[in-house]
Amino acid sequence: MRDLSKDTSLLSLNTATVRKQWTLAQIIDGCARHDIGGISPWRDQVAECGLDEAARLVRDAGLKVTGLCRGGMFPAAGKAGLQANIEDNKRAIDEAATLGAECLVLVVGGLPEGSRDLALARSQVFDGIGAVSEYARSCKMPLAIEPLHPMYAADRACVNTTAQALDMCDRLGDGVGVALDAYHVWWDPDIEAQIARAGRNGQLLAWHVCDWLVPTKDLLLDRGMPGDGVIDLKKLRGWVEDAGYTGSCEVEIFSQDTWWTKDPDTVLKTCIERHQTVV
């Protein structure tokens, strides 16, 4: 088994982890200073910095862009909205390609406004990814569907299990895989088998980690630093490695009351220490 935890070149920082303290330029500089090998920025941060400038800063720092967050949000109440979301995803593909990202992460979206039809939302997600997948292939940009915990089915992502995401990947074909986030998949009794399935089919594109706190005060903004919660991250990491994944381990933490209040250099040092001892 390859150990992904000892080499900081295999650690990536999702910029959400320190987005409240630092600009994107500062995050890039911080990752370089701490010898963190990768970064995964959010589109709003890239837009604020400027796409070309962000790409230059990343290149100059020698960082991998392990993913761009995020595409997706496909469902809409009418044809105009659906088409607008498709066009926005094509722009996201272009941005990811300019940054040299390893994938575009898709948080696929929930129920259209005013709808209670979950099956319709999932159908719109499948159709939306299908509508941009050929363009993504032409740009050589893998699309990584991120299944989110079922608590987000209504508003953020109606794709909620790894099996469900992989079923879509199988139907959509080459260039579409999954981004697995421990926070969203740790509870799934079928996750070991689904990670192995993704590995067999070359569909495991990204691996994100944080921890599930007990109690959790806010289901969106109270994620834990690895090691501070109840997820068996070493076991999950072992399954990911056994599946043949050799990419980066991306720390992604939304923490309004804890980690977003701390000195960002301290946050990065803690990410490195936990990556080496807990993940």
Side-chain angles (χ1 to χ4, degrees):
M1 180 192 301
R2 184 184 181 194
D3 190 343
L4 299 178
S5 70
K6 303 306 180 187
D7 184 353
T8 56
S9 71
L10 293 173
L11 174 62
S12 177
L13 183 78
N14 187 290
T15 58
T17 306
V18 289
R19 68 172 298 144
K20 295 300 183 181
Q21 304 99 307
W22 274 348
T23 65
L24 180 58
Q26 290 172 315
I27 297 171
I28 292 168
D29 176 70
C31 287
R33 286 189 289 103
H34 289 278
D35 294 321
I36 293 173
I39 192 169
S40 183
W42 284 68
R43 291 179 69 198
D44 63 319
Q45 296 171 304
V46 171
E48 183 177 359
C49 180
L51 177 59
D52 291 338
E53 176 66 3
R56 183 191 68 80
L57 290 171
V58 167
R59 287 194 304 270
D60 289 351
L63 298 176
K64 294 176 291 185
V65 179
T66 56
L68 176 64
C69 295
R70 52 180 163 74
M73 297 296 170
F74 290 101
K79 290 183 178 179
L82 291 169
Q83 187 59 40
N85 293 343
I86 288 169
E87 295 305 317
D88 183 61
N89 275 273
K90 289 181 177 178
R91 288 191 293 272
I93 290 165
D94 290 338
E95 292 163 16
T98 298
L99 291 167
E102 294 177 352
C103 65
L104 174 65
V105 176
L106 302 180
V107 176
V108 298
L111 293 169
E113 184 176 358
S115 174
R116 292 185 174 87
D117 192 338
L118 196 56
L120 172 64
R122 289 169 173 158
S123 176
Q124 290 181 343
V125 166
F126 179 82
D127 291 344
I129 299 174
V132 301
S133 59
E134 184 58 39
Y135 184 71
R137 281 190 284 269
S138 73
C139 296
K140 297 181 171 56
M141 181 51 56
L143 302 176
I145 301 170
E146 183 174 4
L148 264 58
H149 192 284
M151 64 188 172
Y152 295 123
D155 60 344
R156 294 183 182 273
C158 58
V159 175
N160 306 113
T161 68
T162 306
Q164 185 185 7
L166 290 173
D167 287 346
M168 284 192 174
C169 295
D170 290 345
R171 294 170 61 198
L172 289 161
D174 292 343
V176 185
V178 293
L180 297 186
D181 187 321
Y183 190 77
H184 296 299
V185 304
W186 73 277
W187 58 273
D188 185 349
D190 198 35
I191 189 59
E192 181 181 8
Q194 296 304 319
I195 289 173
R197 171 188 173 187
R200 284 193 304 272
N201 296 326
Q203 295 165 327
L204 185 49
L205 301 180
W207 169 235
H208 301 177
V209 296
C210 61
D211 219 331
W212 188 285
L213 301 177
V214 177
T216 293
K217 294 180 289 184
D218 186 289
L219 293 178
L220 178 62
L221 300 177
D222 191 32
R223 297 190 185 192
M225 181 67 69
D228 289 348
V230 299
I231 302 177
D232 190 341
L233 290 167
K234 282 188 179 293
K235 180 178 286 185
L236 286 173
R237 189 204 80 208
W239 293 339
V240 167
E241 290 178 350
D242 287 345
Y245 181 75
T246 58
S248 296
C249 175
E250 182 180 315
V251 177
E252 181 182 24
I253 300 173
F254 300 83
S255 177
Q256 64 181 356
D257 294 331
T258 304
W259 296 102
W260 284 353
T261 69
K262 294 184 181 296
D263 172 72
D265 282 300
T266 298
V267 177
L268 266 59
K269 290 176 184 177
T270 306
C271 289
I272 292 168
E273 187 270 331
R274 300 298 177 84
H275 176 247
Q276 294 176 336
T277 60
V278 175
V279 176

